Amino acid sequence: ANHAHHSSMSPEEFISRIMEAEPPDIYLMEDMKKPFTQASMMMSLTNLADKELVLMISWAKKIPGFVELSLADQIHLLKCCWLEILMLGLIWRSVDHPGKLIFSPDFKLNREEGQCVEGIMEIFDMLLAATSRFRELKLQREEYVCLKAMILLNSNLCTSSPQTAEELESRNKLLRLLDSVIDALVWAISKLGLSTQQQTLRLGHLTMLLSHIRHVSNKGMDHLSTMKRKNVVLVYDLLLEMLDANMAGGSQPASSP
Ligand code: AOE
């Protein structure tokens, strides 16, 4: 392609490239038969997640520099962070709708609408809380796209230790790419007309929310693997592979009867 390398791009250009990479809305177009049962609710959620994963892979490949990483790194990054990315997307779609989670234009859930999936309300509430926090901060679209790219690029930095020269090269590329995204976020914040100190504080607040999202994602991963083990939901191939990647070697959630 005739695109410049990300390191020679201005933050403005970098942001416009990741804005263009944003995936389209997904419609489930199922007749949302209320009341939901545990199984039908889980089926709707995992069906949506499965469709979004396909789009997420195309999205990642459009982030300048991502496809120049080793294929192993590209795969590993996506496997580490897919649920965090889905959750941040969900938070973004829901930010202007207090008390609701907007999964898609035709699939919206209220807190009051009761409980039917075992163990999911805790996750629901943590996501609503994160959504209110982003609402308080008046998260901007430019900041949102940077945070999402940061989740992807930061997801395995602390778990991989490069052995070969090739792995080392890919990791150095990854670190330079993360620098570009941080520069882009700093630039996006600088456009908001805040004092220098307020800009620094905002950067801190936004990035601290990412640790909350990681926490909720870990809870969600445990939840999904429990639902799968209890045969509440049939998890399709792509999602299954992503789930297995997170559980492999890690601690299995405590089993319950
Ligand atoms: C799917 C797509 C997406 O874009 C984001 C997420 C994030 C969470 C994921 C979910 C998903 C896929 C399935 C996961 C889930 C976390 C655990 C689960 C991985 O295994 C969504 C988390 C929030 C889910 C809230 C669902 C509330 C359901 C309870 C309400 C209820 O039972 N009823 C009956 C309400 C009826 C309303 C009409």
Side-chain angles (χ1 to χ4, degrees):
N2 54 358
H3 287 305
H5 186 257
H6 68 85
S7 60
S8 63
M9 260 179 223
S10 65
E12 187 171 13
E13 197 178 342
F14 192 88
I15 288 197
S16 79
R17 291 282 300 279
I18 53 180
M19 296 271 268
E20 287 163 20
E22 271 299 283
D25 282 346
I26 295 184
Y27 287 81
L28 279 173
M29 287 181 288
E30 289 166 15
D31 43 349
M32 288 297 170
K33 36 189 186 295
K34 296 182 184 180
F36 281 97
T37 63
Q38 167 156 280
S40 73
M41 175 66 75
M42 277 309 292
M43 199 39 89
S44 296
L45 290 172
T46 52
N47 182 15
L48 176 65
D50 209 60
K51 291 179 179 171
E52 289 186 272
L53 283 177
V54 176
L55 297 180
M56 191 190 293
I57 295 167
S58 320
W59 161 78
K61 289 163 83 176
K62 290 182 198 146
I63 295 173
F66 185 78
V67 293
E68 274 99 78
L69 303 173
S70 72
L71 192 56
D73 271 353
Q74 293 177 37
I75 294 168
H76 192 63
L77 288 168
L78 280 161
K79 284 187 169 180
C80 284
C81 74
W82 64 273
L83 189 51
E84 287 177 80
I85 303 273
L86 288 188
M87 286 175 168
L88 182 58
L90 177 62
I91 289 169
W92 173 251
R93 295 192 292 278
S94 311
V95 84
D96 293 326
H97 308 266
K100 280 191 190 162
L101 289 181
I102 313 294
F103 286 91
S104 76
D106 59 354
F107 185 22
K108 310 175 182 184
L109 294 177
N110 272 319
R111 177 66 176 88
E112 309 86 71
E113 279 175 297
Q115 171 154 3
C116 81
V117 180
E118 195 185 335
I120 215 169
M121 289 322 278
E122 185 198 2
I123 297 167
F124 190 100
D125 287 338
M126 288 191 287
L127 286 171
L128 280 183
T131 306
S132 328
R133 184 71 189 114
F134 278 120
R135 186 181 312 119
E136 282 169 13
L137 289 166
K138 297 190 167 61
L139 180 67
Q140 302 296 301
R141 182 169 214 105
E142 287 80 0
E143 296 170 324
Y144 158 68
V145 298
C146 291
L147 289 175
K148 216 164 56 158
M150 280 167 68
I151 289 178
L152 175 69
L153 301 172
N154 184 51
S155 61
N156 78 351
L157 271 182
C158 301
T159 54
S160 80
S161 46
Q163 306 288 320
T164 66
E166 217 193 331
E167 285 168 5
L168 202 75
E169 197 196 304
S170 183
R171 189 192 168 83
N172 286 330
K173 283 183 185 166
L174 177 59
L175 289 169
R176 288 196 300 267
L177 187 47
L178 194 51
D179 287 344
S180 293
V181 184
I182 296 168
D183 280 339
L185 179 57
V186 168
W187 180 84
I189 293 173
S190 76
K191 298 275 99 184
L192 300 176
L194 302 168
S195 69
T196 311
Q197 195 205 8
Q198 288 302 320
Q199 292 180 35
T200 307
L201 293 175
R202 186 169 181 83
L203 180 64
H205 285 296
L206 291 178
T207 51
M208 275 191 286
L209 271 160
L210 298 183
S211 78
H212 180 72
I213 294 173
R214 174 81 67 123
H215 177 75
V216 188
S217 162
N218 289 338
K219 294 268 181 197
M221 213 67 80
D222 286 353
H223 181 270
L224 183 59
S225 97
T226 301
M227 291 285 121
K228 191 200 140 220
R229 190 167 41 76
K230 292 184 175 176
N231 293 313
V232 171
V233 69
L234 194 129
V235 181
Y236 301 124
D237 294 351
L238 181 55
L239 192 55
L240 188 62
E241 197 182 312
M242 303 298 251
L243 178 64
D244 285 344
N246 271 274
M247 293 303 154
S251 59
Q252 291 287 329
S255 62
S256 41

